[in-house]
Amino acid sequence: MSTTSADGTTTDPAGTTPAADLIPAPRRVIPGGDGFLALGPATALVAGEGAEGTARWLRAELGAATGLPLPPADSAGAGAVRLRVDPAVASEIGAEGYRLDITEDGAELTGADPAGLFRGAQTLRQLLGPDAFRRAPLPGREWRLPLARIEDAPRFAWRGMMLDVARHFMPKEGVLRYLDLLAAHKLNVFHFHLTDDQGWRVEIKRYPRLTEVASWRSRTKWGHRASPLWDDKPHGGFYTQDDIREIVAYAAERHITVVPEIDIPGHSQAAISAYPELGNADVVDTTALSVWDSWGVSENVLAPTDEVLRFYEGVFEELLELFPGRFIHVGGDECPKEQWRRSPLAQSRIKELGVSDENGLQSWFIRHFDTWLTARGRRLIGWDEILEGGLAEGAAVSSWRGYEGGIDAARAGHDVVMCPEQQVYLDHRQHGGPDEPVPIGFVRTLENVYRFEPVPPELTVDEARHVLGTQANVWAEVMESPARVDYQVFPRLAAFAEVAWSELPPPDDRDFAGFERRMTTHYARLDAIGVAYRPPTGPKPWQRRPGILGRPIDGEPPRK
């Protein structure tokens, strides 16, 4: 006998099968009895047409963890694991969907497309237990798959995480590790925040000073910008174009799209420090600017000139060669207008362009690159400030200041990625206790994230179709090391991944107790990988940062 839980998952009543511990929760699990499929040295991995990439990944990952060779075979013998792609599954289940059948005679994983097959392979790995996430086999370990049929597909097409490497640089190896972590949670978009006031992180060959000068700052604020503490050693780094090609290829093998972000016209002090002619030199000595060493929003923004447009066209021309995905993120957020208000050149440009004010000048920037990218077969996406002064036709919106920007954009017929700060900014603190390291923002617990709903109820059915999906954002001002990033991201990314993937009930009706139970197994998976997550009982001594000032905000966050 089986039952269906509140999250739509069918399990045995006691929840004792490994299939009951899957994260994110699949649409349907039908237990197949008390038996199991044993894997051994003779277990073959049979890959049909279109399944070759997933077979390579499975053989590498499971081979390392289990020590089993999983040899290829032309036909399926008894006990084999068979992989195939069948587009008919898409009509039955949906894009990126899969069906996994495990019997005592073997396992068959069928994907609606190569991406769906890969998502199903992640499920198969989870079913083998947490030790399947290790890098070398444990002596005496037996490998068994529970008998079951699992049918699954994602709720949203855009299931992402944004990683800020401008504030604190993450070396390439760390980025590749995070792509593996996204893949393990069935996320499929990696938003790569590459530039900001505090650093420029991607090589642009025609503008070498962007990495020679703008990728390094002399020191770094330690804690929130109000903190009196400094780390006085230089900080920086950048990705060569070959590094980027490797990152993009690694992501593509895991069916993850990389969306690069180059900030314009605000958050640009690092670029201006390398090329002073990009700034508003008629009101500030741009030659005296350096890469910013503190946090917040710099007033040094790009000048509204044709020369600046040509410069960034050159930047984007090289980016388009590196990032084949459809979307290019241009920032567009937090652009102070004071320098433009004082700049005779900017005021003259407002009159020349016939725009109403400085917001119109920002809109001119965004519209220019919307047209430029569209002509090259790409789509512009930006933070919801690009709504100010008029939204560029064809642009998509990352709604971060709450739900309102996304609601306005969807009602105007523009596509939206929902990532409201008050709900899914993972730099916000996870608990209100005094040991929380460098506490920023509102308390957003694991349960808060699990009850996040990406589609605002204010939208009609037709308007809601413009919600491409959702992403969690990881801003790294107070994350000085990969371990700090892990602490802020996990375990909350697991809850977010289920929100983005699974068909869940309304927020108040979600079975958080059941999710917590499944997290017991998932913590063991994270341990096997080596993720320095925040334990449910609170930070370990080495995860705390006593005496370093943060910016905690009390109370419940507003919903707007």
Side-chain angles (χ1 to χ4, degrees), residues 100-113:
L100 175 59
D101 284 300
I102 305 170
T103 69
E104 292 179 347
D105 296 325
E108 181 165 305
L109 175 59
T110 305
D113 45 39

Side-chain angles (χ1 to χ4, degrees), residues 414-442:
H414 294 272
D415 290 337
V416 178
V417 175
M418 297 302 300
C419 49
E421 174 186 16
Q422 302 89 343
Q423 309 298 328
V424 288
Y425 267 33
L426 300 186
D427 49 308
H428 282 213
R429 58 192 172 134
Q430 303 181 65
H431 192 274
D435 289 335
E436 212 61 31
V438 198
I440 299 295
F442 294 100

Side-chain angles (χ1 to χ4, degrees), residues 9 38 104 157 246 285 305 325 369 373 414 428 459 463 494:
T9 305
E104 292 179 347
E246 181 181 358
D285 181 7
T305 67
F369 284 101
L373 289 166
H414 294 272
H428 282 213
L459 296 180
E463 291 166 348

Side-chain angles (χ1 to χ4, degrees), residues 11-141:
T11 65
D12 64 289
T16 56
T17 70
D21 291 328
L22 294 172
I23 289 178
R27 287 189 181 179
R28 190 178 186 209
V29 177
I30 305 174
D34 295 331
F36 57 84
L37 171 64
L39 305 186
T43 301
L45 187 59
V46 183
E49 184 177 355
E52 299 86 355
T54 294
R56 282 193 301 272
W57 179 85
L58 260 181
R59 189 170 289 113
E61 296 297 324
L62 294 188
T66 66
L68 301 177
L70 300 175
D74 294 331
S75 60
V81 176
R82 301 175 292 277
L83 310 178
R84 67 190 187 99
V85 174
D86 182 359
V89 173
S91 60
E92 299 171 15
I93 301 176
E96 282 191 84
Y98 65 89
R99 179 183 295 119
L100 175 59
D101 284 300
I102 305 170
T103 69
E104 292 179 347
D105 296 325
E108 181 165 305
L109 175 59
T110 305
D113 45 39
L117 187 73
F118 184 77
R119 311 299 174 217
Q122 296 289 352
T123 296
L124 188 149
R125 187 188 192 188
Q126 286 197 19
L127 291 174
L128 284 170
D131 287 344
F133 290 80
R134 293 183 178 274
R135 297 297 182 91
L138 295 177
R141 179 71 160 81

Side-chain angles (χ1 to χ4, degrees), residues 342-399:
R342 294 189 289 116
S343 165
L345 185 152
Q347 293 303 309
S348 174
R349 199 70 201 241
I350 287 173
K351 294 177 183 177
E352 176 188 338
L353 294 170
V355 298
S356 58
D357 55 16
E358 292 77 18
N359 284 338
L361 205 54
Q362 178 171 339
S363 179
W364 166 77
F365 257 104
I366 302 302
R367 286 177 181 273
H368 173 84
F369 284 101
D370 177 56
T371 301
W372 191 90
L373 289 166
T374 299
R376 289 156 180 81
R378 305 299 184 92
R379 284 190 69 187
L380 179 146
I381 185 168
W383 304 111
D384 54 59
E385 284 94 330
I386 66 174
L387 291 161
E388 297 170 2
L391 184 59
E393 186 177 353
V397 170
S398 300
S399 186

Side-chain angles (χ1 to χ4, degrees), residues 154-160 188-189 327 379 381 395-400 402-420 424 452-471 496 499-500 503 559:
R155 178 186 179 191
F156 291 109
W158 185 302
R159 309 179 305 279
N188 68 343
V189 176
F327 284 95
R379 284 190 69 187
I381 185 168
V397 170
S398 300
S399 186
W400 77 273
Y403 288 95
E404 186 175 356
I407 292 169
D408 290 345
R411 286 175 172 169
H414 294 272
D415 290 337
V416 178
V417 175
M418 297 302 300
C419 49
V424 288
F452 163 61
E453 172 51 48
V455 179
E458 295 92 332
L459 296 180
T460 67
V461 172
D462 286 341
E463 291 166 348
R465 292 192 180 100
H466 286 289
V467 179
L468 299 176
T470 182
Q471 72 180 34
F496 173 81
V499 168
E503 295 282 354
R559 189 195 180 282

Side-chain angles (χ1 to χ4, degrees), residues 166-167 196-199 201 213-214 216-221 225 230 235 267-271 273 289-300:
R167 274 50 177 269
D196 218 295
D197 297 308
Q198 296 85 2
R201 305 293 180 220
V213 175
W216 292 91
R217 59 178 180 262
S218 61
R219 62 176 187 168
T220 298
K221 178 65 71 172
R225 61 181 176 270
W230 294 89
H235 177 86
H267 287 292
S268 297
Q269 181 167 325
S273 74
L289 294 177
S290 60
V291 178
W292 207 18
D293 57 13
S294 191
W295 313 128
V297 180
S298 170
E299 291 190 353
N300 293 294

